[in-house]
């Protein structure tokens, strides 16, 4: 029975995801994104079948494991778009350095302002970075990696929902700027949204996610400890 | 045949992940193995040690299913019900406010630089300032 649970949890997760993608493609609503709906459906299924999370995760963690290789796979589009990167290097570097710094500082300041406590606040800090990297940073700075993963998903959904509205409000016209802001702030769902706007927007959004991860690693290990020391003690 | 090729390419990328993890462990770097692997694969491609065709299909598969790999850890939120509890609206507020702030700063900076660059070489095309 326990042995069966491993392939079963992988198969069920994949099936729920597959069905979710079908619905998402049919209606094109950000709220239907698989990173929001699939986990909710699976939680309900675990409850209904009286399965504990550790029992489920024993098998499903192998799907989560593939996030590592999938992150590495981003080297391929990065390589293919290397000329675009070189041409827009200043724009990419400056906007993402500012974006990453604002993400770290504003998440933390708003969290402290709301009195969320150090564990939750620390877990919020890497919420604008791609998950495998963010979970690593979360652990190092004293957060809870799983909670960080959940906050990233909420970020992605919120960013995907607000993105179009903010682009209009701030009168962002450049495709590169649209892509960079969506990829920087809304990650997965932002990239999907950017690709709906156009190929160029989507490319910049994917670039933003990878580049921001690298910049954030540097920022989180340099400026954040200072901020943390000043505000939490 | 195409399926087997893709599968082998995914396996190769996974090996690169293991290598990245090993390097991170050995050199006690604060970087996740996936980021080291990304840089390694990028360098291998740029330096033409490996050809794009050797990894392209497998990489495309992984990228296409990127969201699937997030799901298991997201389900893990059930273990933190008590911790989040009554604070969920505060968390949502922090995330929404911070996301708006990040978007605004990133988008406006990028747009400002993109416009400046366009204005400099093409002075004749734009008659601003």
């Amino acid at each position: 029975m326990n042995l069966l649970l491993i392939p079963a949890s992988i198969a069920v997760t994949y099936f729920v995801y597959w069905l979710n993608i079908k619905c998402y493609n049919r209606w094109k609503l950000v709220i239907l994104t698989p990173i929001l709906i699939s986990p909710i459906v699976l939680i309900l299924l675990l409850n209904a079948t009286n399965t504990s999370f550790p029992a489920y995760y024993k098998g499903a963690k192998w799907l989560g494991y593939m996030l590592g290789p999938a992150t590495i796979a981003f080297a391929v589009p990065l390589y293919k778009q290397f000329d675009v990167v070189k041409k827009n290097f200043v724009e990419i570097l400056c906007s993402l350095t500012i974006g990453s710094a604002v993400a770290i500082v504003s998440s933390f300041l708003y969290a402290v302002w709301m009195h969320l406590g150090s564990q939750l606040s620390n877990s919020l800090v890497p919420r604008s970075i791609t998950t495998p990297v963010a979970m690593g940073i979360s652990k190092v700075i004293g957060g809870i990696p799983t909670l960080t993963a959940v906050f990233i998903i909420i970020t992605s959904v919120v960013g995907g929902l607000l993105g179009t509205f903010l682009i209009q409000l701030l009168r962002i016209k450049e495709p590169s700027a649209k892509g960079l802001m969506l990829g920087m702030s809304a990650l997965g769902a932002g990239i999907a949204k950017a690709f709906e706007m156009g190929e160029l927007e989507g490319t910049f959004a994917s670039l933003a996610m990878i580049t921001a991860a690298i910049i954030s690693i540097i920022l989180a290990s340099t400026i954040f400890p200072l901020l943390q020391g000043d505000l939490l003690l | 045949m195409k399926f087997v090729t893709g599968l082998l390419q995914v396996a190769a990328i996974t090996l690169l992940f293991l290598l990245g993890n090993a390097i991170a462990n050995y050199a006690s770097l604060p970087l996740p193995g996936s980021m080291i692997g990304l840089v390694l694969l990028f360098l291998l491609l740029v330096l033409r040690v490996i050809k794009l065709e050797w990894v392209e299909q497998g990489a495309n598969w992984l990228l296409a299913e990127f969201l699937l790999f997030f799901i298991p850890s997201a389900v893990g939120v059930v273990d933190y019900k008590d911790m989040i509890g009554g604070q969920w609206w505060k968390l949502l507020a922090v995330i929404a406010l911070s996301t708006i702030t990040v978007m605004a700063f990133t988008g406006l900076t990028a747009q400002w630089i993109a416009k400046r660059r366009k204005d400099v070489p093409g002075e004749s095309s734009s008659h601003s300032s």
Side-chain angles (χ1 to χ4, degrees):
Chain A
M1 185 61 207
N2 270 331
L3 267 173
L4 247 150
L5 209 59
I6 291 176
S9 63
I10 295 177
V12 170
T13 306
Y14 188 80
F15 179 70
V16 169
Y17 163 80
W18 177 82
L19 215 61
N20 197 168
I21 289 275
K22 291 252 157 203
C23 296
Y24 179 76
N25 287 338
R26 173 101 164 65
W27 289 293
K28 290 272 172 224
L29 293 170
V30 180
I31 203 83
L32 290 178
T33 176
I35 49 171
L36 179 68
I37 301 300
S38 296
I40 294 177
V41 172
L42 285 163
I43 289 171
L44 295 176
L45 278 175
L46 290 187
N47 275 335
T49 55
N50 248 331
T51 315
S52 71
F53 175 70
Y56 161 79
Y57 199 66
K58 219 174 229 172
K61 73 171 178 216
W62 295 107
L63 283 176
Y65 181 81
M66 290 314 285
L67 199 52
T71 304
I72 296 178
F74 271 100
V76 168
L78 191 62
Y79 170 73
K80 285 203 269 188
Q81 304 293 339
F82 198 36
D83 287 334
V84 183
V85 180
K86 278 192 284 195
K87 231 174 82 189
N88 299 281
F89 187 69
V90 179
E91 182 186 346
I92 295 173
L93 194 70
C94 290
S95 64
L96 296 181
T97 305
I98 290 177
S100 303
V102 169
I104 292 173
V105 175
S106 74
S107 303
F108 193 66
L109 290 184
Y110 290 138
V112 169
W113 177 48
M114 293 263 184
H115 301 288
L116 279 173
S118 66
Q119 248 182 342
L120 283 177
S121 301
N122 290 337
S123 309
L124 277 163
V125 165
R127 62 155 197 96
S128 200
I129 312 169
T130 184
T131 305
V133 178
M135 287 173 85
I137 293 179
S138 179
K139 201 150 103 194
V140 173
I141 64 172
I144 302 166
T146 309
L147 281 183
T148 299
V150 173
F151 296 155
I152 293 168
I153 286 164
I154 302 171
T155 299
S156 194
V157 175
V158 169
L161 284 170
L162 295 176
T164 326
F165 171 71
L166 264 172
I167 284 171
Q168 281 169 354
L169 187 77
L170 299 172
R171 293 195 205 135
I172 306 290
K173 301 260 161 58
E174 301 291 331
S176 58
K178 287 184 198 171
L180 288 171
M181 69 188 272
L182 283 169
M184 171 71 232
S185 59
L187 307 165
I191 294 173
K193 192 91 220 152
F195 269 113
E196 280 168 29
M197 292 177 180
E199 179 82 29
L200 200 58
E201 284 89 340
T203 303
F204 272 96
S206 331
L207 274 176
M209 192 178 83
I210 311 158
T211 320
I214 299 169
I215 296 173
S216 296
I217 291 173
I218 301 167
L219 292 180
S221 51
T222 51
I223 64 163
F224 181 66
L226 298 172
L227 195 70
Q228 207 177 16
D230 274 353
L231 285 169
L232 273 184
L233 296 174
Chain B
M1 194 54 216
K2 215 179 161 197
F3 181 77
V4 178
T5 322
L7 219 55
L8 282 174
Q9 293 183 354
V10 170
I13 296 172
T14 309
L15 274 178
L16 219 51
F17 179 46
L18 293 173
L19 183 66
N21 281 336
I23 293 175
N25 255 327
Y26 184 72
S28 46
L29 294 169
L31 302 173
S34 54
M35 270 337 262
I36 297 172
L38 194 161
V39 175
L40 278 179
L41 180 56
F42 182 74
L43 287 177
L44 289 173
L45 286 166
V46 170
L47 300 173
R48 302 194 190 284
V49 180
I50 60 170
K51 283 185 185 156
L52 184 60
E53 302 93 82
W54 294 358
V55 286
E56 196 175 14
Q57 199 192 342
N60 284 342
W61 278 8
L62 287 168
L63 292 176
E65 310 301 336
F66 197 58
L67 296 180
L68 167 67
F69 310 131
F70 283 90
I71 295 170
S73 49
V75 177
V77 75
V78 287
D79 277 1
Y80 295 94
K81 262 184 297 203
D82 302 331
M83 196 165 179
I84 295 178
Q87 296 189 298
W88 66 270
W89 64 271
K90 283 188 188 173
L91 287 165
L92 196 64
V94 170
I95 291 172
L97 282 175
S98 177
T99 302
I100 292 171
T101 318
V102 173
M103 269 193 175
F105 271 97
T106 312
L108 291 173
T109 309
Q111 169 130 311
W112 185 68
I113 296 171
K115 269 194 179 154
R116 266 176 66 112
R117 205 197 47 226
K118 273 187 186 162
D119 285 352
V120 172
E123 274 171 296
S124 53
S125 62
S126 69
H127 35 74
S128 59
S129 57

